[in-house]
Amino acid sequence: MEKKARILVVDDEDIVIKSTIRTLQKNDYEIEYVYSGESALAMIEKDPYDLVITDLMMPGINGIEVIKKIKADHPDTTVVMFTGFATVESAREALKLGAFDYVPKPFTPDELREVVKNALASREKSSDSRMLDLMAIVSHELKSPTSVIHTTAETLHRGYFGNLDPEQQKIVESILRNCSYLEDIIRNYLDLSKMEMDGLASFQEKINLVDDVVLPVIQVPENMNNMKKMEIRTNFAEKPAIQGDPNLLKIVITNLVNNAIKYGSPETPIDIALEKSGTAYTFSIRNEGVGISQEDIENKLFRKFSRLKQKGTEGVKGSGLGLYMCKKIIEKHGGKIWVDSEPGKWVKFSFSLPGEA
């Protein structure tokens, strides 16, 4: 069950307290209230809150002092200021001390709801960023030893140290599958931490989509000489010049190529094409294999941490982040991504990007 946001309202006017509770109670928050700064600090010390909404002018300890104390002792608590004295000076002082925002009195319900929603959203974003930083550190540390295990297991599987009996082959194949799964997670968490999804900058670099993005990914030995012996065939009708970030677009191509190998049938081709469609350019990658049902395409694909359960892919694992990141990156470049499939036979992922203006 999702944890409710805990909010403490601090104001010496009963009408403000009641109005605030009435405005916010439909949002399923856990709301408590007090009438003085002294009482607020005592409550916070006993049990910290996610958000404190405090008045600026109160008898005794005023709102500025409340903010100072909260930020000194509970820096993770978000604070919003009520003020009937919405001057530039008071607002500037409150924000400088660490308040997230202020709500001028009198306020409308929509004004209050909007500020509270944004304040709580900022906490979630901050938490996500810290988690991504931690995942990136852990993933980076795991990257090298996982690659060593994978390379060693692949050497055994290819018979460079002698032929394996059927039971030994099974064990080594299991190691290889799990290494691929770990490498998928490591790569995607590292990529996700670099991207900082909501803050991607505008793309000003002129690049060649084939030479700077697609070919460097295809020509990686693990892809060209993949374990399933799937030939990668290319048909580049165009070599478009676009405005984009080559590193982010390589994330897209890497995920799509890895998926084509991972979910494709052994010894079948992977067809990659790039052609012009009006003023845009369309990249596509097609492989034969289990395909994807229309229901999954409509309801699960491209969603964060979404994993498809398909017959024939029971032993294949993934992080559930790859296609989500692909969609975000393509959309940030002003394009779109989609999929066509015949379940049990083939699947084709495509994305389009605008050409250089």
Side-chain angles (χ1 to χ4, degrees), residues 1-32:
M1 183 181 293
E2 188 175 342
K3 185 181 176 183
K4 292 182 180 181
R6 299 188 70 242
I7 299 175
L8 178 64
V9 183
V10 190
D11 200 293
D12 60 329
E13 296 180 73
D14 191 58
I15 189 171
V16 175
I17 295 280
K18 289 179 178 177
S19 178
T20 301
I21 293 173
R22 186 168 56 250
T23 299
L24 299 178
Q25 64 185 0
K26 291 182 180 178
N27 294 82
D28 201 28
Y29 302 135
E30 185 179 323
I31 305 172
E32 295 182 343

Side-chain angles (χ1 to χ4, degrees), residues 56-318:
L56 176 63
M57 301 299 293
M58 295 183 293
I61 298 178
N62 64 27
I64 294 296
E65 294 303 318
V66 170
I67 289 184
K68 287 181 181 178
K69 186 66 175 170
I70 290 174
K71 289 303 173 183
D73 298 343
H74 305 282
D76 287 335
T77 299
T78 304
V79 183
V80 166
M81 181 76 69
F82 274 143
T83 175
F85 304 84
T87 64
V88 173
E89 290 76 17
S90 63
R92 184 183 294 131
E93 184 178 5
L95 296 172
K96 193 182 295 183
L97 289 170
F100 174 81
D101 204 345
Y102 70 94
V103 181
K105 294 180 183 177
F107 55 83
T108 67
D110 285 342
E111 284 174 336
L112 178 60
R113 278 192 286 262
E114 184 68 15
V115 170
V116 169
K117 183 184 77 173
N118 291 339
L120 293 173
S122 75
R123 291 178 56 80
E124 292 174 9
K125 184 176 179 181
S126 176
S127 174
D128 286 346
S129 298
R130 288 195 295 270
M131 183 172 287
L132 282 176
D133 288 341
L134 178 60
M135 288 191 298
I137 293 168
V138 173
S139 297
H140 190 272
E141 292 301 314
L142 289 173
K143 186 176 181 181
S144 181
T146 304
S147 296
V148 171
I149 294 170
H150 196 162
T151 302
T152 304
E154 193 168 319
T155 303
L156 289 171
H157 188 266
R158 291 179 183 271
Y160 290 122
F161 295 104
N163 293 328
L164 304 178
D165 63 41
E167 196 59 35
Q168 290 171 328
Q169 282 278 13
K170 272 193 200 174
I171 293 170
V172 173
E173 287 169 4
S174 175
I175 294 171
L176 287 170
R177 281 195 303 272
N178 282 284
C179 282
S180 295
Y181 170 54
L182 286 173
E183 287 169 340
D184 181 44
I185 290 177
I186 289 166
R187 186 185 70 254
N188 283 326
Y189 279 149
L190 285 171
D191 289 342
L192 189 59
S193 67
K194 290 174 190 174
M195 284 169 55
E196 297 178 350
M197 290 292 186
D198 293 330
L200 292 179
S202 58
F203 307 99
Q204 300 299 326
E205 187 176 350
K206 180 180 177 181
I207 60 174
N208 183 295
L209 187 57
V210 171
D211 294 337
D212 297 328
V213 177
V214 179
L215 287 179
V217 174
I218 293 174
Q219 291 168 353
V220 171
E222 291 91 333
N223 293 330
M224 290 295 292
N225 305 310
N226 59 81
M227 294 290 293
K228 288 188 173 181
K229 300 180 181 179
M230 300 176 73
E231 180 189 1
I232 298 179
R233 306 187 302 197
T234 59
N235 177 21
F236 301 136
E238 298 280 343
K239 284 195 172 184
I242 65 168
Q243 293 289 120
D245 184 318
N247 293 322
L248 289 177
L249 290 171
K250 282 178 186 175
I251 292 173
V252 176
I253 304 300
T254 298
N255 273 289
L256 295 179
V257 171
N258 284 347
N259 282 351
I261 296 171
K262 188 188 299 183
Y263 298 103
S265 299
E267 300 183 20
T268 61
I270 296 171
D271 290 309
I272 296 177
L274 207 156
E275 57 190 10
K276 191 167 186 180
S277 308
T279 58
Y281 294 95
T282 299
F283 170 95
S284 64
I285 178 167
R286 182 187 186 279
N287 68 276
E288 297 176 19
V290 296
I292 305 172
S293 70
Q294 190 61 35
E295 182 182 356
D296 282 343
I297 290 173
E298 293 175 359
N299 300 317
K300 292 185 179 180
L301 219 58
F302 302 115
R303 295 191 178 182
K304 198 173 186 179
F305 298 118
S306 179
R307 296 274 292 116
L308 306 185
K309 294 182 180 179
Q310 300 159 278
K311 188 176 181 180
T313 65
E314 291 83 359
V316 181
K317 300 178 181 179

